[in-house]
Amino acid sequence: MVVRSWSELDFDNVCSNVKVFGFDLDNTLASSKQPMKPAMIERFCALLDHTVVALISGGGMAVVTSQVLDVLTPNARRGNLHVMPTSGSRYYRWDGTQWALVYAHDLSEATVAAVSESLERHARELGLWEQQVWGPRIENRGSQITFSALGQFAPVAAKQTWDRDNTKKQALVEAVKADLPHMRVRAGGYTSVDVSECGIDKAYAVRKLTQTLGIRADEMVFVGDRMTPTGNDYPAVEAGAIGVRVENPQDTVQLLDALLARFDTPAR
């Protein structure tokens, strides 16, 4: 399993052999909870003109909609876009008028209650139940429960400085795992911990999508900013996708420019 920086890619080879380009959302296509910027919108829509694109995010559909789907250009080829929020536990396709749900693996009420109780109890015990928050700390995304230490809508600058070495999140992960060994508990974004059914992660999303499209996993690229073995983008690589690491949306814009330069039609 190899992860390459975007700048190390053989773009001619990638454009010749890759059939699906997958992307993480936060800090890859857009800043956390912010819509894609105009430069990204232009290039993302141009890529849809040329190839199949998958959006695989840990965020729920509401966030994916506000950050990406609502800002696509009117003539964007939505039929080329596969939308897989909450790490692929939900899957949406454009039916010509709206984003239609293909499948969903939602958690039971009992499971939601048990996960929420464990997250709050251990966050308080570990001193991670912060007094200043922006929005709810615990969000039920249907198929995933997400704890955000500073709240769902915290400023990016505050998120980036809260847990620079990931020790806070990892302590919470280990504590909740001990309570819920049958669940998958994983550090998410800068301040978040995600809990879902075992086997439901970005590896699951890659496997489901490649099966649906009838392609091999190594015919898919997945681009993300958290590509270390403990990062929430790495499971896509474990499933066989070609891992491409970016540091931020600015890198992704440059990556898209390099891809678009090798397709027949220039970017719009």
Side-chain angles (χ1 to χ4, degrees):
M1 292 175 287
V2 177
V3 175
R4 294 181 176 84
S5 169
W6 73 270
S7 60
E8 299 171 345
L9 289 181
D10 179 341
F11 287 97
D12 291 325
N13 181 62
V14 166
C15 289
S16 297
N17 297 295
V18 169
K19 296 179 179 177
V20 179
F21 290 84
F23 294 88
D24 170 49
L25 176 48
D26 276 355
N27 209 40
T28 298
L29 292 176
S31 297
S32 180
K33 300 297 188 294
Q34 301 299 309
M36 294 192 300
K37 292 185 176 180
M40 186 70 76
I41 296 168
E42 177 186 359
R43 289 158 175 81
F44 190 80
C45 291
L47 189 65
L48 288 171
D49 282 341
H50 300 293
T51 189
V52 176
V53 177
L55 176 56
I56 306 175
S57 170
M61 187 60 173
V63 171
V64 170
T65 299
S66 66
Q67 290 187 262
V68 177
L69 304 182
D70 278 352
V71 298
L72 295 177
T73 59
N75 62 339
R77 295 187 64 181
R78 289 165 174 80
N80 274 352
L81 181 58
H82 298 256
V83 181
M84 307 181 86
T86 48
S87 301
S89 57
R90 288 188 165 217
Y91 177 32
Y92 295 81
R93 293 301 314 279
W94 183 251
D95 68 2
T97 58
Q98 64 181 345
W99 293 100
L101 180 66
V102 178
Y103 70 69
H105 299 296
D106 288 348
L107 302 173
S108 68
E109 290 185 10
T111 298
V112 170
V115 171
S116 300
E117 187 279 331
S118 179
L119 284 166
E120 179 171 348
R121 174 163 47 85
H122 288 300
R124 289 183 183 277
E125 291 171 352
L126 293 166
L128 307 181
W129 198 260
E130 301 289 352
Q131 293 304 304
Q132 182 177 11
V133 295
W134 293 263
R137 297 179 178 86
I138 297 176
E139 180 188 9
N140 178 4
R141 296 178 176 173
S143 46
Q144 175 180 296
I145 307 298
T146 295
F147 170 81
S148 298
L150 300 180
Q152 291 293 319
F153 307 107
V156 174
K159 289 184 176 185
Q160 289 175 331
T161 59
W162 183 76
D163 186 23
R164 291 187 183 277
D165 60 2
N166 295 318
T167 55
K168 295 178 181 179
K169 292 193 298 291
Q170 200 56 41
L172 183 57
V173 165
E174 297 304 322
V176 174
K177 273 184 180 178
D179 283 352
L180 306 166
H182 59 292
M183 302 295 290
R184 182 175 183 85
V185 187
R186 193 178 185 98
Y190 293 120
T191 67
S192 63
V193 169
D194 299 327
V195 185
S196 61
E197 292 180 357
C198 281
I200 304 293
D201 57 13
K202 291 181 181 179
Y204 175 82
V206 168
R207 288 192 294 268
K208 289 290 289 185
L209 185 58
T210 54
Q211 288 168 8
T212 297
L213 297 176
I215 66 171
R216 301 190 312 270
D218 64 1
E219 293 176 310
M220 176 176 177
V221 157
F222 188 74
V223 182
D225 68 306
R226 293 184 175 272
M227 281 291 184
T228 63
T230 59
N232 67 345
D233 294 323
Y234 194 72
V237 182
E238 294 177 312
I242 300 167
V244 176
R245 183 181 65 254
V246 294
E247 298 297 328
N248 49 48
Q250 291 75 27
D251 280 356
T252 307
V253 165
Q254 294 184 75
L255 165 65
L256 290 173
D257 279 341
L259 290 173
L260 291 166
R262 285 158 176 84
F263 285 113
D264 292 337
T265 306
R268 292 176 296 196

